[in-house]
Amino acid sequence: MTKAQFQVFSSPEFVAQAVASHIAEVVRARPQTVLGLATGKTFVSIYEALVRVSAETGLSFAEASSFNLDEYVGLPVGHSASFRRYMEEHFFRHVDLPADRALLPEAGDDAEAACSAYEAAIAARGGVDVQLLGIGRNGHIGFNEPGSAFDGRTQVARLTPSTIAANTSDFPPGEVPPPEAITMGIGTILDAHAIVLVATGAAKAEALARAFLAPMDVDCPASALQQHAHVTVFCDEAAFAGMGPKA
Ligand code: GLP
């Protein structure tokens, strides 16, 4: 049985405001917070809300650090669909988080070395305090697709056709996502002191129900979160629909 706490809102906008307020509170209480950050369509409105809270309240990220969950392998630097570019556009350029402490797992020439270096960098900061997570329709977290080991560390992962299809709209017309990405492993994610999972829209209802109502199963990577003691799920009613009595 999951220990996760659910906060359910009537719309994605209210979810975004609530997540932004929560993160703002965490950073206010501990300016040196180590944030684990996520990308995806779900998080566009969350960063927008967090940037707004930061501007309105003078919240500073100057002492914070961040580690993103994942990044495609092989996209040219500055590619419009890279997660680095996403983060710059939606968050980094709007806040005072120092650039040298806003990291993504970039593969470079030696992906294996990059994976170990990323793990070491997280450990050197004392671990992730709060990890933000979205969820894929097939239950993936980060780019840990179904079948990924629950104790996996940062690694190069192959994307499933359904994830490639879901993310194709982020790419310019005629382009598709690369087949591989570098991602924190599920074990890396579970090491975070607290986890905030965000799900909005009916397309996520089935994945959310499988993650938290069904027994833990490597076929649903997000179900690994059932073993974590501090998970809060922020979702809208549409995503929560499968969690009801009929699920
Ligand atoms: C992507 C990312 C995940 C994200 C998920 C859902 O593949 N690697 O970190 O949570 O898909 O994304 P979206 O919010 O666009 O539905």
Side-chain angles (χ1 to χ4, degrees):
M1 192 54 200
T2 183
K3 296 184 257 332
Q5 307 280 321
F6 280 78
Q7 298 213 19
V8 187
F9 300 86
S10 56
S11 72
E13 291 72 29
F14 287 130
V15 172
Q17 280 169 29
V19 175
S21 306
H22 176 69
I23 298 300
E25 232 170 81
V26 168
V27 175
R28 225 171 267 131
R30 187 169 179 265
Q32 306 79 8
T33 295
V34 180
L35 295 167
L37 300 179
T39 52
K41 296 172 193 69
T42 311
F43 279 89
V44 170
S45 56
I46 290 169
Y47 291 121
E48 195 184 311
L50 188 53
V51 166
R52 199 179 324 117
V53 171
S54 160
E56 284 170 5
T57 65
L59 174 70
S60 171
F61 293 87
E63 292 179 54
S65 352
S66 71
F67 292 92
N68 264 78
L69 278 170
D70 46 17
E71 177 61 288
Y72 292 109
V73 170
L75 287 185
V77 176
H79 189 285
S80 64
S82 73
F83 291 164
R84 160 67 65 189
R85 177 82 177 265
Y86 172 109
M87 290 308 302
E88 296 293 348
E89 190 177 319
H90 296 291
F91 189 53
F92 295 156
R93 77 152 79 127
H94 306 286
V95 295
D96 60 352
L97 181 64
D100 62 340
R101 277 195 264 120
L103 303 185
L104 283 88
E106 281 148 312
D109 296 334
D110 184 344
E112 216 167 288
C115 292
S116 331
Y118 205 62
E119 290 280 338
I122 294 172
R125 288 263 155 222
V128 169
D129 292 308
V130 184
Q131 177 67 57
L132 294 175
L133 280 185
I135 184 168
R137 290 163 209 217
N138 61 3
H140 74 246
I141 47 177
F143 270 130
N144 296 283
E145 297 281 26
S148 305
F150 282 2
D151 60 358
R153 310 305 306 183
T154 301
Q155 63 196 278
V156 173
R158 272 202 98 67
L159 311 191
T160 60
S162 78
T163 299
I164 292 177
N167 291 3
T168 294
S169 59
D170 300 334
F171 283 70
E175 275 188 53
V176 289
E180 287 184 336
I182 181 166
T183 181
M184 283 187 195
I186 296 176
T188 320
I189 291 169
L190 292 175
D191 281 351
H193 303 300
I195 292 176
V196 165
L197 182 132
V198 187
T200 54
K204 300 296 173 69
E206 196 185 327
L208 204 59
R210 270 184 81 202
F212 292 102
L213 293 183
M216 279 198 288
D217 184 342
V218 290
D219 277 345
C220 180
S223 69
L225 302 174
Q226 291 181 29
Q227 54 187 300
H228 195 285
H230 302 287
V231 176
T232 311
V233 180
F234 287 78
C235 61
D236 64 356
E237 281 160 8
F240 191 73
M243 297 293 298
K246 276 190 264 150

